[in-house]
Amino acid sequence: LAFLGELPGKRIEELTCWVDECCERHGGGAMELRLDELGYWPSPGIAWLGCSEPVPALRQLAEALRRIPPRLGVRAERRDFVPHVTLFRGVTEPPPAPVTAPDFPFRQAIVTLFESEPVRGGVRYRPVAEWDLASAPGPPHISS
């Protein structure tokens, strides 16, 4: 929903409070998506599956999360929001067009805050906290 870049560790608690507020105000429960579009980003070499018609509530939540308060000392990435599931990384040429158009129902019920850690040969994403959009508002589940 939003890529925030580098954040000092001491700001994680403030960030989780900010995400909690955004999910409470803009989450609106679990969202039903239809993954029906195959895409390719050549620069990062990513093949993905996404939505030809994004759910407005998901776009609103993404926009809210990108308006991160300046006091946290980071700025959200400004690329257009494209809801997607990454299928492959390191793809050097566009994948062939599918014989049959994709059409997968997808239920977006969880928002997860990940920390990216550089590792040999790439990046590992470690979950830090998550919010259940389908449940009543409340504090996030913090990973240990």
Side-chain angles (χ1 to χ4, degrees), residues 41 45-50 84-90:
W41 291 316
I46 293 176
W48 52 270
L49 186 59
H84 71 281
V85 174
T86 298
L87 300 174
F88 300 101
R89 293 181 181 276

Side-chain angles (χ1 to χ4, degrees), residues 119-139:
V119 295
R120 190 173 177 182
V123 176
R124 174 179 38 214
Y125 296 99
R126 185 180 69 79
V128 175
E130 65 181 33
W131 293 260
D132 184 349
L133 299 175
S135 69

Side-chain angles (χ1 to χ4, degrees), residues 18-130:
W18 167 248
V19 176
D20 192 33
E21 290 174 26
C22 288
C23 288
E24 203 171 300
R25 274 188 268 142
H26 303 281
M31 300 171 211
E32 303 296 328
L33 305 156
R34 178 128 329 256
L35 300 175
D36 60 357
E37 180 176 53
L38 189 60
Y40 172 67
W41 291 316
S43 180
I46 293 176
W48 52 270
L49 186 59
C51 305
S52 60
E53 294 187 33
V55 174
L58 187 61
R59 184 171 301 285
Q60 290 170 357
L61 180 56
E63 288 171 5
L65 289 168
R66 289 167 179 237
R67 290 190 298 267
I68 187 165
R71 72 177 185 275
L72 293 178
V74 295
R75 289 179 45 174
E77 189 175 63
R78 291 292 172 212
R79 282 190 282 186
D80 287 340
F81 171 63
V82 178
H84 71 281
V85 174
T86 298
L87 300 174
F88 300 101
R89 293 181 181 276
V91 179
T92 57
E93 55 187 62
V99 174
T100 304
D103 189 18
F104 299 96
F106 185 84
R107 186 170 192 261
Q108 174 67 44
I110 303 288
V111 171
T112 305
L113 173 64
F114 288 96
E115 175 182 25
S116 59
E117 302 171 326
V119 295
R120 190 173 177 182
V123 176
R124 174 179 38 214
Y125 296 99
R126 185 180 69 79
V128 175
E130 65 181 33

